[in-house]
Amino acid sequence: VLTPVFVPPPPPQATPEDLKTIASVASRAEVLRLGAPSSRITMFDDGHLVEIFRYQSRDTTFGIVRLSDGSVSSVQVR
């Protein structure tokens, strides 16, 4: 008798359409629920924690989300 094996669903992949729905005051957690960024940069700027999430498909960047202290400060979608 074979025991069923639970296979979790694949993680979500953010799309340009998903990034267009991000509100300017969305939280870091809300952004990450859309999918993990392709790359991220974290730094301190004038006493604030700044994160830049880059989303890409193959070799083309389609979106950049900038967060300051855990809240979205800007979204660029190409």
Side-chain angles (χ1 to χ4, degrees):
V1 174
L2 293 175
T3 305
V5 176
F6 174 73
V7 177
Q13 296 285 323
T15 65
E17 292 74 28
D18 292 334
L19 297 184
K20 290 177 183 177
T21 67
I22 297 174
S24 62
V25 293
S27 70
R28 180 180 194 274
E30 290 172 297
V31 174
L32 291 174
R33 265 188 236 119
L34 298 175
S38 303
S39 66
R40 62 178 85 187
I41 298 171
T42 304
M43 62 188 150
F44 285 98
D45 183 26
D46 198 25
H48 297 276
L49 176 65
V50 175
E51 296 174 280
I52 301 171
F53 294 170
R54 183 177 302 270
Y55 292 88
Q56 63 185 57
S57 176
R58 298 193 181 136
D59 294 332
T60 304
T61 298
F62 62 79
I64 298 172
V65 179
R66 184 179 176 99
L67 299 102
S68 180
D69 296 327
S71 294
V72 172
S73 58
S74 70
V75 179
Q76 297 174 349
V77 181
R78 298 179 187 160

